Amino acid sequence: MARRQLAPPVTKGAFTLLCVDDNRVNQKLISKLCEKYGQPCEVASNGREAVDMYKSDPERFRCILMALYPSSLDRQRMEISPDQHLTMPEDSAMPVLNGFDAAREIRAYEEESMRPHVPDPPLSGQISTGPNGTSTTQDNADKKCPQKRPTRRAILVGASAPGASTLSSRYTDAGFDLVMSKPYHVRMIVDLLFGGPATNIVSLYGGIDEKELVEAGYPLQLRPWSPPCETNVRDVVLGR
């Protein structure tokens, strides 16, 4: 069966989206959508993977889409919190590390990393003489192998239970900038993640400014393709 042909990516320097979801269907949906628009995307299956991936290269991931509850949600298990927002029992969260705790770790890491560093005065035991007779300290040694540190906070988007379309204190306290409800809506994803300065959350919430966003290639456009003569319509719809 002939496959459709996508044109080469047209993005210049689009930021990488980090999609955190333990549901393989959701992972595939976001990955396929990103592929169609030329949006770089990486997937983590739990909060621990997400935190480790972000810490390894924080400047690469400008936006993190974090699943908080399963999409195949049994609404009968949902509870109403005191502030009239829907909540779910803890056993419905992602394995290993849930989305709320992962968000808190990311924010704590950013706060610590961006705090001005004042080097401690070298102790006598920390000073050594180099091969040319110069004095070196542990601080100088650290500069030879700098760690990647964030220079600005990532945009955290929580993908929550149906009906959770507004931020409550539980989301803001964990560090989320925005919350959207599952199941994912394609039009919303396109506008918020692939759109221009007027709708792109990375620009609206301060991840990058409008000029940087445009220079990176946003708004992204659906990549054109030319279906072979024998392409089956069903294959096109299913993305085969």
Side-chain angles (χ1 to χ4, degrees):
M1 184 68 66
R3 294 173 61 90
R4 58 179 179 152
Q5 302 296 317
L6 286 173
V10 295
T11 53
K12 301 175 183 178
F15 61 83
T16 300
L17 171 69
L18 178 55
C19 173
V20 190
D21 202 312
D22 61 327
N23 186 301
R24 295 178 66 87
V25 174
N26 288 336
Q27 291 178 3
K28 187 173 182 179
L29 170 65
I30 297 298
S31 297
K32 272 293 184 182
L33 194 58
C34 287
E35 178 186 346
K36 292 175 186 293
Y37 278 83
Q39 167 69 59
C41 175
E42 291 201 17
V43 172
S45 296
N46 58 67
R48 174 53 55 205
E49 286 184 12
V51 172
D52 292 343
M53 290 172 67
Y54 178 70
K55 286 183 176 181
S56 70
D57 196 353
E59 285 301 294
R60 182 183 179 198
F61 300 107
R62 296 271 32 89
C63 182
I64 302 174
L65 180 61
M66 184 83 70
L68 301 177
Y69 302 119
S71 31
S72 55
L73 193 59
D74 182 358
R75 295 184 66 90
Q76 293 182 350
R77 299 182 62 213
M78 298 172 68
E79 303 168 354
I80 302 297
S81 64
D83 55 357
Q84 297 301 305
H85 289 279
L86 298 172
T87 61
M88 281 293 294
E90 291 298 328
D91 63 348
S92 64
M94 283 191 297
V96 186
L97 185 68
N98 67 56
F100 287 101
D101 289 340
R104 293 187 188 96
E105 282 200 29
I106 288 172
R107 291 305 187 214
Y109 171 72
E110 291 173 334
E111 182 178 351
E112 178 64 27
S113 298
M114 290 186 281
R115 183 177 301 166
H117 174 65
V118 179
D120 297 327
L123 301 177
S124 57
Q126 293 178 302
I127 302 177
S128 60
T129 303
N132 298 325
T134 59
S135 296
T136 61
T137 64
Q138 184 62 43
D139 185 59
N140 290 332
D142 291 341
K143 291 180 180 178
K144 296 179 181 179
C145 302
Q147 294 181 343
K148 294 183 178 180
R149 295 179 178 272
T151 59
R152 51 193 168 189
R153 61 199 299 276
I155 303 303
L156 277 175
V157 182
S160 192
S165 58
T166 57
L167 280 174
S168 67
S169 59
R170 188 181 187 193
Y171 299 106
T172 55
D173 290 348
F176 287 98
D177 298 290
L178 185 71
V179 60
M180 64 175 67
S181 61
K182 291 184 180 180
Y184 294 121
H185 297 280
V186 173
R187 185 70 260 170
M188 181 181 293
I189 293 291
V190 171
D191 288 342
L192 294 179
L193 302 182
F194 312 151
T199 62
N200 195 299
I201 55 177
V202 174
S203 178
L204 295 177
Y205 288 86
I208 65 174
D209 59 34
E210 181 176 331
K211 181 180 178 182
E212 286 182 281
L213 190 72
V214 173
E215 289 178 348
Y218 295 88
L220 304 181
Q221 303 296 325
L222 187 64
R223 293 158 59 189
W225 60 280
S226 300
C229 296
E230 298 181 358
T231 297
N232 188 300
V233 175
R234 184 172 183 273
D235 291 336
V236 174
V237 173
L238 295 178
R240 295 177 177 174

